[in-house]
Amino acid sequence: MASSTPQSVERALAMFDAVADAPGPVGAKELARRVGCSLSTAYHLLGALTARGHLTRTAQGYVPGPRVPALHRGYQRHLGVGAGVGELLVRLRRATGAQAYYTVYRGGLITVVDSTAPVSDTAEPFVPGPEIRAHATAHGKALLAGLPRPVRRRYLDEHGMARFTDRTITAADRFEAELARVRGQGFAVSVGEADPAYTCLAVALPGPRGDGSVHALSVSLATAEFRGRRGAIRGAVARAAAELVPEG
């Protein structure tokens, strides 16, 4: 199905995404090639993005602009993510020795909103942005377990249940049984289901919220390390989650 988005808007957004996802500055010629337009059109679109602060032009190429941090803050504000979440994640990181994450389901999408993982860590399995492996992650299980079954089924129908490792649950009935276990024990665990080297543990935060969203707090670390510290890590995550009160 053809997109109904005007071509100029589609191209500008594609350029913005390309720059955001790149490891360093991206030149106008490369951006024109990626989106399939002339160099003059690329400069026209890049000029608009630069004028609005979404991009900045440097001698090496285009980089994300000063408007980007404000977009992230606005996104968190609209989700009802409190100002102290970042500090809480840092404390949880110190308490567990594991990377900590704040994840949200809203409007049919699951997003990793914040993380303690360094932006330079290219091996990090969970990064801020859309979560496409929700059924294979602890935070995804915790969020999906908190949704009404019709909403959950619609999410899984739309996003699928791809196999990422030999531990990934891909059968709907088995996954429902897993979520029943999550609800019963109050936390979710994924042992090598999204990435064979990592285990993650998550808890859903108290609700309900007016916008129908579900929020979760989670950590991830090497599976070998998790096995010897499961109880302590579970306790630390539970204590951190108890500090968070819904704002939405």
Side-chain angles (χ1 to χ4, degrees), residues 2-240:
S3 172
S4 60
T5 307
Q7 188 178 53
S8 61
V9 175
E10 186 70 34
R11 284 173 168 171
L13 291 172
M15 287 181 177
F16 181 61
D17 287 344
V19 172
D21 293 339
V26 186
K29 289 183 180 179
E30 173 62 17
L31 290 169
R33 184 191 67 78
R34 291 193 191 186
V35 305
C37 69
S38 67
L39 185 58
S40 61
T41 297
Y43 276 124
H44 175 73
L45 298 174
L46 289 167
L49 289 167
T50 301
R52 296 186 68 87
H54 292 85
L55 297 179
T56 294
R57 185 178 185 181
T58 72
Q60 293 76 35
Y62 289 86
V63 298
R67 176 69 179 146
V68 173
L71 293 175
H72 185 237
R73 287 196 300 273
Y75 180 67
Q76 291 182 313
R77 184 172 61 252
H78 281 275
L79 286 173
V81 177
V85 165
E87 294 178 1
L88 183 88
L89 292 179
V90 171
R91 294 200 302 273
L92 182 56
R93 169 78 177 86
R94 291 171 181 164
T96 61
Q99 301 296 356
Y101 314 87
Y102 193 97
T103 312
V104 174
Y105 166 90
R106 187 174 70 165
L109 298 173
I110 289 177
T111 306
V112 179
V113 177
D114 204 354
S115 163
T116 59
V119 295
S120 58
D121 185 358
T122 57
E124 165 61 31
F126 309 114
V127 296
E131 176 57 87
I132 62 172
R133 304 170 295 175
H135 64 290
T137 68
H139 51 252
K141 292 179 188 179
L143 295 170
L144 292 170
L147 296 175
R149 185 164 184 169
V151 177
R152 178 168 62 250
R153 292 187 63 146
R154 184 163 58 249
Y155 177 91
L156 294 173
D157 286 344
E158 292 177 357
H159 296 273
M161 299 180 69
R163 182 176 297 281
F164 299 106
T165 76
D166 60 1
R167 291 178 173 268
T168 308
I169 299 174
T170 58
D173 56 348
R174 187 180 164 203
F175 191 66
E176 281 297 325
E178 172 73 0
L179 297 188
R181 183 161 48 251
V182 169
R183 288 188 290 270
Q185 65 190 13
F187 65 95
V189 178
S190 169
V191 182
E193 295 177 43
D195 186 298
Y198 287 87
T199 287
C200 48
L201 183 147
V203 297
L205 301 178
R209 295 169 186 268
D211 61 357
S213 65
V214 184
H215 297 212
L217 196 61
S218 63
V219 295
S220 76
L221 69 167
T223 296
E225 185 179 354
F226 174 81
R227 286 173 177 155
R229 302 175 52 223
R230 179 185 179 117
I233 290 171
R234 175 187 168 190
V237 176
R239 288 190 294 274

